[in-house]
Amino acid sequence: MWGKNNMMKDKPTSVVLLAGIYGVVISGCSMINRGLAGSGPVIAMLAADIAATLLIWLVGLILRNASVYDPYWSVVPPFMVIGWMRATGGLHFASVLLLIALLIWGVRLTVNFAIGWRGLEHQDWRYGMLKDKNPKLWILTNLFGINLFPTLIVFACMIPAYIIISSFARVGLLFLAGFLMCVGAAALQLIADGQMRAFRETKEKGAHIETGLWRISRHPNYLGEVLMWWGVWVMQMGTRPDIWLTILAPIAMTAMFLFISIPMMEAHIAEKCPGYGDYQARVGALLPKLGRKEAYDEARG
């Protein structure tokens, strides 16, 4: 008999089920967004975003898999743009370019998740680690740390997108520079993730990647993610430079990677790869180090 355990282990079935869950959640929360239209496009979208996150969190609890939230990061932002375009009538060249940039980024990142995901039995190792460290607080860590915190960070980074959509401004050189940053960031992630997959197929025990983009940045995939949101902000500055305080959003995104995501990942890698400290001394976490050759020679002795 085809039981629950078999369904959880079967990747195609898991992907279809997860896609169905997201379809139901996004459809339901779009109704919430429309129902709260009188409160303004930003408040209505925030309420729908939080409601969708809570539903995904509950599904994750039911399935005992916090990774149900993982695609949310890349799936929802394009729908937010479409919702704001409908709410404001903001269908113009700048908003279309913004949507294209977010679709390129979002589809690529979602596909990358699907490639690496093994099915509903598979949960990101970080979530298991957090649960093991403090099982009594797991339900709260899951809700606030894994689900709501990233949702709010991404929503903050989407405020520049709303400004672009609602401003009806002309597309200038700065806006185009931001658009190219977004597309370039997605390309950077595509190359970095491809290189990582190729490395994992052939890596030896205790080895870490140090080829391709990973030779000049310890986390080029994270660099691409950070540059994506800086690109959206630059696009906004190309339309409404007077609202410059929105820079706090990409700063917060950058800080999240520098002070949470990267340290957690590197502590995990260092436990398995004895030579990782030497790599850290030579190569920058996100940006290439100045004088990298000298640092390499010094580390090598």
Side-chain angles (χ1 to χ4, degrees), residues 205-216:
K205 185 177 180 180
H208 62 271
I209 186 170
E210 197 175 340
T211 56
L213 294 173
W214 304 81
R215 186 171 178 268
I216 57 175

Side-chain angles (χ1 to χ4, degrees), residues 110-190:
T110 305
V111 169
N112 184 68
F113 163 79
I115 291 172
W117 191 51
R118 297 196 295 272
L120 285 169
E121 69 164 355
H122 171 60
Q123 177 176 263
D124 191 296
W125 63 267
R126 287 167 287 196
Y127 307 156
M129 179 194 69
L130 291 171
K131 183 177 181 179
D132 292 340
K133 279 187 174 181
N134 205 329
K136 292 182 179 180
L137 291 178
W138 167 241
I139 192 169
L140 296 177
T141 303
N142 188 348
L143 173 59
F144 292 103
I146 295 173
N147 288 263
L148 279 176
F149 179 68
T151 287
L152 294 176
I153 288 283
V154 171
F155 189 86
C157 287
M158 287 295 293
I159 295 300
Y162 172 75
I163 294 171
I164 292 167
I165 294 165
S166 59
S167 65
F168 293 86
R170 289 184 178 182
V171 171
L173 290 178
L174 186 59
F175 184 95
L176 291 175
F179 174 77
L180 292 176
M181 278 183 66
C182 293
V183 175
L188 179 66
Q189 289 179 302
L190 176 67

Side-chain angles (χ1 to χ4, degrees), residues 225-236:
E225 189 66 27
V226 168
L227 288 176
M228 169 66 198
W229 297 110
W230 279 102
V232 173
W233 180 76
V234 170
M235 291 169 76
Q236 180 237 297

